[in-house]
Amino acid sequence: MTQPYDAAAPPGPPDDPSEQPASPPPLRRSKRQKLVGGVCGGLGRHYDLDPVIFRVGLGVLAVTGGLGLIFYGFAWLFVPLDDEDENEARRLLTGRVDGATLIAVLFALIGCGLFLSMLRNGTVLGFAVMLSIALTGAAYWSQRRRLADPGTGPADPVAAQAAAVAPPETQAPPVPGAPSWWRDPIVKDGTTGPVGTGYLWGPRSAVLEEAPEPSGSAAPAPRPPRRPDPATRGPRGIGGRVFLLAVLAGGLGTGLSWDARPLGTSLQIGLSCALAVFGLGIAVSAFRGRTGVGTILLTVITALLLTGASALPKQISTDWMRTQWQPASASDMRPRYALGSGVGTLDLSGLRIPADGSVATRAEVGAGHLRVVVPKDATVELRMNVGLGDIRLPGERRQDFDLRTDHFRDETLKPPKPSGAARSDKPAGTLRLDLEVGVGQVEVARAAK
């Protein structure tokens, strides 16, 4: 027989808290276990792992592709510190830039630069990805183990329930240590008598009413406007000087290497010098002076330009030239013709190839126009590669300009059919050409005769 339900009866004890999994602490950067920014200490506390595991893992990822620096820098920016609700990224966007914010941004920028420099190294990137997966799996397993372990809850359920329902301990009210606008009147001129009820701080419109001056007393003289004390001023901005020094260093680095280096290398030297000055300025601003968001933006732009300069073909030179190669016979043919920047013409119209023979060569132009004139009666096998530009073959109009990136094309040009008196001529052999242009155009034309 079931007992009737008593609404007035107190509710029974809740479920045993020791059987309920304890929720993990919120993700915050640690103040106690802090070596640089407290990111690894906060991760270890959140995922119930030794922070040394995250420090070693992120250190290895930092030197093998820069992923560790990228993760640490952005975690430093977006994860708030213990007992704080505002992160470094919000301070950066509102203009309150300090040393910790600048170092976090510098970590992220250096990591991005290392990662972009390792894009072509598949072995290093594969190792970094595998290590990242291993760290993520270890953190997930540790957190799930803690949530599934009932022993992580409180040992005494009665004490836990009592602590949950107990009222907070009463404390004495704080003793006022300074005058306030709602407790004590503010004496402005030091005299006795009725005084106004002005505010201790705020604009002048906050003052509701000025008390009348007592009779017989002279009106106080107007006070001159107070000048800010130089000792209380904030640190002076150094962003402008850092920018001028970066421009000067970039110009010197590029100018000194302009004649002796290829275009891409010269630009890399100049941009690296400018980026080094920006990084040094950010590091100095953590101790002396200050920089704003503009310096951070210019540093990011410089890093992006450096990445673009590193992608330029190495054969692009800083001198624009016009060159023509015209071998008279197959024996005079060189295995390779190269030009840094400019217009190169390879004239093979006078080349005589035996009917059962073949001739091969290679022509390269870093940036510009490569024009090849092939014999009229030869079979031409073309292998063309254009990084950024266009390819034009015989029969195509000049208006048919097709700009592409990473343009690869293989073509075989058959000789025109002979007619009339030319029917008795023997056909020529095969000409194999490997043509490459970094930025520009490849043009192939047939000789008229």
Side-chain angles (χ1 to χ4, degrees), residues 36-51:
V36 181
V39 174
C40 295
L43 289 173
R45 180 180 55 191
H46 182 74
Y47 292 105
D48 195 20
L49 284 175
D50 192 342

Side-chain angles (χ1 to χ4, degrees), residues 185-191 195-199 207 209-211 213 223:
I186 301 173
V187 179
K188 295 185 176 180
D189 53 359
T191 60
V195 295
T197 57
Y199 290 98
V207 180
E209 182 181 358
E210 292 289 341
E213 296 291 339
R223 297 180 181 180

Side-chain angles (χ1 to χ4, degrees), residues 102-439:
L102 296 176
I103 295 175
V105 173
L106 187 61
F107 274 29
L109 289 178
I110 295 175
C112 291
L114 290 175
F115 178 75
L116 292 175
S117 64
M118 293 290 181
L119 286 179
R120 296 182 180 180
N121 196 335
T123 304
V124 175
L125 288 182
F127 173 76
V129 170
M130 295 298 295
L131 183 57
S132 302
I133 295 174
L135 277 177
T136 305
Y140 178 77
W141 171 82
S142 178
Q143 189 177 42
R144 296 297 300 176
R145 177 181 57 83
R146 180 176 59 183
L147 293 177
D149 188 4
T152 56
D156 190 358
V158 178
Q161 181 181 0
V165 300
E169 182 182 356
T170 58
Q171 298 179 357
V175 179
S180 58
W181 62 270
W182 58 272
R183 183 185 298 273
D184 300 322
I186 301 173
V187 179
K188 295 185 176 180
D189 53 359
T191 60
T192 59
V195 295
T197 57
Y199 290 98
L200 184 61
W201 59 81
R204 294 185 178 182
S205 59
V207 180
L208 301 179
E209 182 181 358
E210 292 289 341
E213 296 291 339
S215 58
S217 61
R223 297 180 181 180
R226 296 182 60 186
R227 295 182 178 179
D229 188 4
T232 60
R233 293 178 181 174
R236 299 182 61 183
I238 61 174
R241 284 173 284 182
V242 171
F243 172 71
L244 292 178
L245 288 176
V247 172
L248 180 61
L252 285 176
T254 303
L256 294 177
S257 59
W258 185 261
D259 295 331
R261 302 283 185 177
L263 177 62
T265 305
S266 178
L267 292 178
Q268 289 179 48
I269 293 174
L271 292 172
S272 299
C273 294
L275 190 61
V277 172
F278 278 126
L280 183 61
I282 291 174
V284 171
S285 66
F287 305 97
R288 298 181 61 87
R290 60 182 177 85
T291 56
V293 183
T295 304
I296 304 298
L297 181 61
L298 290 174
T299 306
V300 174
I301 294 175
T302 305
L304 294 177
L305 292 176
L306 180 59
T307 305
S310 62
L312 290 177
K314 298 300 182 182
Q315 63 266 28
I316 299 179
S317 64
T318 56
D319 295 331
W320 188 269
M321 302 176 60
R322 289 182 175 271
T323 305
Q324 182 174 0
W325 306 287
Q326 191 173 8
S329 61
S331 60
D332 296 336
M333 181 84 72
R334 289 187 291 178
R336 180 174 177 266
Y337 298 90
L339 177 65
S341 300
V343 179
T345 303
L346 180 59
D347 189 358
L348 304 176
S349 58
L351 191 64
R352 294 293 179 262
I353 305 175
D356 55 350
S358 64
V359 177
T361 187
R362 177 183 177 88
E364 300 177 4
V365 172
H369 185 198
L370 174 61
R371 186 172 186 269
V372 181
V373 181
V374 298
K376 181 179 180 181
D377 53 353
T379 300
V380 184
E381 296 180 358
L382 298 172
R383 182 178 180 84
M384 297 166 286
N385 179 14
V386 178
L388 175 63
D390 175 52
I391 295 176
R392 184 183 301 166
L393 298 178
E396 297 180 357
R397 299 177 300 175
R398 292 185 175 271
Q399 293 78 8
D400 299 337
F401 189 84
D402 186 14
L403 182 64
R404 296 185 184 180
T405 58
D406 294 334
H407 194 179
F408 296 92
R409 189 172 176 181
D410 294 338
E411 292 286 343
T412 300
L413 304 181
K414 297 295 184 180
K417 295 180 179 181
S419 59
R423 290 181 180 272
S424 60
D425 296 340
K426 295 182 180 180
T430 303
L431 176 63
R432 296 183 177 89
L433 298 177
D434 192 355
L435 310 178
E436 181 177 355
V437 172
V439 179

